[in-house]
Amino acid sequence: MTPISAVIISRNEEKNIARCIKSLEGIADEIIVVDSESTDKTAEICQSMGCRVVSRPFSGFGAQRQFATSLATNRYILSIDADEVLSPALRNSLINLKEKGLDHRVYRFSRMNFYCERPILHCGWYPDPQIRLFDKSYATWDLRDVFEKVIFPDSLQPRDVEGDILHYRCITSDEYHEKMMSHALIGANVIAATNSSVGPLTPTIKGLKSWLHYYIGKGGILDGAEGRAICRDEYLATKKAYKTARQIIKDRKGK
């Protein structure tokens, strides 16, 4: 039987974290939570459920995940977010793998994303493949602030595991909008760091391209009202990211 360390990053997730931790029963031999200075009861809930909780200021998603991985005592890492749950099918698959002994370096799961409790099958939201179980001797997180991913040698091929991660992105549309705007601000710093200029029309053009990509290219039109709302927020977040980056660049040049 192969021991597994589950790692979670969190901030103000008291509504979701218990559900996430419960789904790890019988799979995780230890659960490490790196909490970004939550002001709610997230840390207390995690501690009461037997998790090791470490507080750390947020330093970007990639860096935060890699820090959590570095605290694990086992080689195999199962990375899951506080607003995610292992589906029954995925739980069964992982329990079987664990009992037989993990014999692969990198494992890949599908992720089912929910918008206001409804599963979204388009908008690029499914199957949304994720590398979430890996041998930390061969794979690790990159250090990107956003759009982070597990990186590993080209010679390794991920093994697909049956079952889904269930990702409950939001309870309300307002919550999702706020998350997108928050991510846009992080993205703005990345854009500003990698571009010497952003034109005055670029935010709108990039926003429209993003909307077309998700609404038409990724089939958001097929998801009805939820698809329209998701794609609208993709437009607004992309526009905000580039508009904010433009201001950052102007301020930098003005110094």
Side-chain angles (χ1 to χ4, degrees), residues 88-129:
L90 182 54
R91 276 184 46 78
N92 289 337
S93 294
L94 292 176
I95 289 171
N96 289 334
L97 278 173
K98 181 181 174 70
E99 290 177 349
K100 292 177 182 177
L102 299 176
D103 60 358
H104 207 67
R105 304 303 183 191
V106 182
Y107 294 86
R108 180 170 56 200
F109 315 147
S110 294
R111 182 167 67 173
M112 173 70 75
N113 291 280
F114 290 75
Y115 179 87
C116 301
E117 304 300 317
R118 178 189 165 184
I120 302 298
L121 300 179
H122 305 95
C123 293
W125 280 26
Y126 192 78
D128 191 20

Side-chain angles (χ1 to χ4, degrees), residues 19-250:
R19 176 174 58 182
C20 172
I21 294 169
K22 286 179 182 177
S23 78
L24 298 170
E25 291 178 359
I27 297 169
D29 296 275
E30 68 172 352
I31 301 175
I32 298 168
V33 179
V34 173
D35 184 69
S36 301
E37 302 176 320
S38 290
T39 56
D40 63 5
K41 296 181 179 180
T42 298
E44 290 91 329
I45 293 171
C46 294
Q47 289 169 340
S48 71
M49 298 182 74
C51 303
R52 177 188 175 190
V53 180
V54 177
S55 180
R56 184 177 192 256
F58 185 75
S59 57
F61 286 101
Q64 204 77 345
R65 293 187 195 281
Q66 182 51 29
F67 176 74
T69 298
S70 73
L71 300 176
T73 61
N74 297 309
R75 281 178 54 189
Y76 277 91
I77 307 299
L78 174 61
S79 180
I80 185 169
D81 286 347
D83 58 359
E84 294 177 337
V85 177
L86 303 180
S87 70
L90 182 54
R91 276 184 46 78
N92 289 337
S93 294
L94 292 176
I95 289 171
N96 289 334
L97 278 173
K98 181 181 174 70
E99 290 177 349
K100 292 177 182 177
L102 299 176
D103 60 358
H104 207 67
R105 304 303 183 191
V106 182
Y107 294 86
R108 180 170 56 200
F109 315 147
S110 294
R111 182 167 67 173
M112 173 70 75
N113 291 280
F114 290 75
Y115 179 87
C116 301
E117 304 300 317
R118 178 189 165 184
I120 302 298
L121 300 179
H122 305 95
C123 293
W125 280 26
Y126 192 78
D128 191 20
Q130 301 282 316
I131 303 294
R132 292 300 189 83
L133 177 61
F134 56 90
D135 182 339
K136 67 179 182 181
S137 300
Y138 292 84
T140 188
W141 289 96
D142 64 23
L143 300 181
R144 291 177 62 89
D145 291 344
V146 290
F147 306 123
E148 72 288 357
K149 63 180 181 179
V150 176
I151 53 177
F152 48 88
D154 293 340
S155 58
L156 296 180
Q157 291 297 316
R159 179 174 295 179
D160 292 318
V161 180
E162 184 177 351
D164 297 330
I165 296 175
L166 307 180
H167 183 198
Y168 297 93
R169 290 197 174 200
C170 61
I171 298 173
T172 67
S173 58
D174 287 343
E175 179 188 350
Y176 181 72
H177 177 79
E178 290 175 8
K179 284 184 178 181
M180 291 294 288
M181 295 303 106
S182 177
H183 289 176
L185 294 177
I186 299 173
N189 287 300
V190 176
I191 295 167
T194 55
N195 290 270
S196 59
S197 65
V198 173
L201 297 180
T202 298
T204 299
I205 292 171
K206 291 288 188 179
L208 288 172
K209 285 184 176 179
S210 180
W211 180 86
L212 285 170
H213 174 72
Y214 288 101
Y215 194 65
I216 304 299
K218 294 294 185 180
I221 190 173
L222 301 174
D223 285 312
E226 288 84 358
R228 291 193 295 274
I230 290 167
C231 296
R232 178 198 64 220
D233 279 335
E234 289 287 351
Y235 163 78
L236 292 173
T238 303
K239 183 177 180 180
K240 183 180 182 66
Y242 277 90
K243 184 176 181 180
T244 305
R246 174 175 164 79
Q247 187 60 52
I248 293 171
I249 292 170
K250 286 176 66 177

